[in-house]
């Protein structure tokens, strides 16, 4: 059983920065891909960024060049540095984990942390 605890959300002005963190615990050896999804009000949950244990990454086009995902395998943590935030980045952000790049569905979710971008 794997547990993900995400944190770091809050209120930030447009153009500002925020860093999200996720700590994994439990039987995590099988979770090779960790990342972040987000869900805005009235919209479906969407991929933001993912990173493999070996370092390869994937980003949504909407965040490329603004967000950076990183992972510390020794601490079982994954972080998302968000810069140049826009109002459309407002959403609940969920930490995620799945076995491999070819695993279709996310297998474990964090509880979510709210990011609000507003002046």
């Amino acid at each position: 059983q794997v547990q993900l605890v995400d944190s770091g959300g809050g209120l930030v002005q447009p153009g500002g920065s925020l860093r999200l963190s996720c700590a994994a615990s439990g039987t995590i050896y099988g979770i090779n891909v960790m990342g972040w999804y987000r869900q805005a009000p009235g919209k479906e949950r969407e991929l933001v960024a993912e990173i493999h244990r070996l370092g390869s990454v994937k980003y949504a086009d909407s965040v490329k060049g603004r967000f950076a995902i990183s992972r510390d395998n020794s601490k079982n943590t994954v972080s998302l540095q968000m810069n140049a935030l826009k109002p459309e980045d407002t959403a609940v952000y969920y930490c995620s984990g799945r076995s491999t790049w070819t695993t279709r569905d996310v297998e474990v979710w964090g509880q979510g942390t709210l990011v609000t971008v507003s002046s």
Side-chain angles (χ1 to χ4, degrees):
Q1 193 81 10
V2 178
Q3 295 84 40
L4 301 178
V5 178
D6 39 41
S7 60
L11 174 64
V12 62
Q13 292 186 344
S17 298
L18 210 57
R19 186 176 181 86
L20 306 182
S21 297
C22 174
S25 62
T27 311
I28 62 172
Y29 63 87
I31 301 298
N32 292 296
V33 179
M34 294 184 68
W36 295 90
Y37 284 68
R38 67 186 181 187
Q39 187 167 18
K43 295 188 176 181
E44 293 188 354
R45 194 171 296 189
E46 63 177 7
L47 170 71
V48 177
E50 286 182 307
I51 183 167
H52 192 278
R53 182 184 299 275
L54 299 179
S56 55
V57 299
K58 179 191 301 184
Y59 290 99
D61 288 342
S62 59
V63 306
K64 283 180 181 177
R66 300 189 298 122
F67 291 11
I69 191 170
S70 60
R71 179 170 179 166
D72 187 334
N73 292 327
S74 66
K75 297 181 180 180
N76 297 322
T77 59
V78 62
S79 299
L80 184 69
Q81 178 66 41
M82 304 186 294
N83 300 322
L85 282 160
K86 305 174 181 180
E88 51 263 44
D89 293 318
T90 295
V92 177
Y93 284 69
Y94 296 90
C95 183
S96 66
R98 55 191 174 111
S99 300
T100 69
W101 286 123
T102 57
T103 305
R104 190 184 73 172
D105 297 325
V106 171
E107 295 168 280
V108 59
W109 295 99
Q111 82 279 7
T113 185
L114 177 62
V115 172
T116 303
V117 184
S118 175
S119 55

